[in-house]
Amino acid sequence: MCKGLSSLPSSCLEKAKGMRVKLSHLAEIHHKQKVQDGKVLQDLEALLNNKIGLQAFRGFLRSEFSEENLEFWLACEDYRVSSSNLQKIKAGSIYSQFINPDAPLEVNLDAETREALLSVTDSPCADTFDEAQQRIYSLMAKDSFPRFLRSHHCVEAIKAL
């Protein structure tokens, strides 16, 4: 039968104590990371920079048939980091997909912003879409993101983190 811990050599007891301390430390780190990951979903900017959060948000928007804002924002991010020789091509794609009237994924921009963008169609520069992207970001932050936080998509993403 078991004689208890006192029958174990002291070297085993010391190793066990050391392992217990290490496991406790790892559990604490894991808990802190989980809390931090959960906070990722409480801030739109952090969510957009987190792969799992972004996938969950995209799924939520798709379920509401409103993913065009996110797709536009992502296209603008891609445009911003592209080389200048690719920017003209990507700008044309952004115009045709999101900006032009009757675009397949037309975003909801005010007339002034849309006209400003259409007026520089032939000569895009690095910051061409900055204002429009910020307006769409604000729209997502005020409208779809709060709904996302109350959705099952958010709950599932938190579980996955």
Side-chain angles (χ1 to χ4, degrees):
M1 291 295 229
C2 182
K3 296 180 183 178
L5 294 177
S6 61
S7 66
L8 291 174
S10 62
S11 61
C12 288
L13 291 174
E14 290 301 316
K15 285 183 181 178
K17 285 179 186 177
M19 288 176 66
R20 182 174 158 225
V21 168
K22 287 179 182 177
L23 285 173
S24 174
H25 180 69
L26 287 173
E28 184 179 330
I29 290 171
H30 178 72
H31 176 72
K32 285 180 182 177
Q33 185 64 44
K34 281 292 206 185
V35 169
Q36 186 178 2
D37 287 345
K39 288 180 182 176
V40 161
L41 300 182
Q42 301 303 309
D43 174 68
L44 180 58
E45 187 174 341
L47 176 130
L48 294 173
N49 290 305
N50 177 281
K51 186 177 179 180
I52 293 172
L54 180 60
Q55 286 176 328
F57 191 47
R58 179 180 271 142
F60 168 74
L61 292 173
R62 191 173 292 133
S63 74
E64 291 201 334
F65 303 100
S66 62
E67 64 190 300
E68 67 279 353
N69 288 337
L70 176 61
E71 296 303 326
F72 173 74
W73 188 88
L74 291 170
C76 290
E77 286 295 292
D78 182 51
Y79 173 85
R80 179 180 291 127
V81 298
S82 297
S83 62
S84 57
N85 59 341
L86 282 177
Q87 282 184 337
K88 185 161 183 148
I89 295 166
K90 289 186 179 190
S93 176
I94 290 172
Y95 285 120
S96 64
Q97 277 191 287
F98 303 103
I99 307 298
N100 285 329
D102 302 321
L105 298 171
E106 184 180 1
V107 290
N108 186 12
L109 291 171
D110 59 276
E112 184 179 325
T113 304
R114 186 179 305 279
E115 290 303 317
L117 284 173
L118 292 173
S119 71
V120 294
T121 303
D122 295 329
S123 56
C125 60
D127 62 352
T128 296
F129 297 103
D130 287 358
E131 185 179 340
Q133 184 184 21
Q134 184 56 47
R135 290 185 187 267
I136 294 301
Y137 179 90
S138 296
L139 185 64
M140 289 190 300
K142 292 176 186 171
D143 182 41
S144 49
F145 184 64
R147 288 195 320 275
F148 166 73
L149 291 176
R150 296 186 299 270
S151 75
H152 78 279
H153 289 88
C154 183
V155 172
E156 293 302 315
I158 289 172
K159 287 179 186 176
L161 289 173

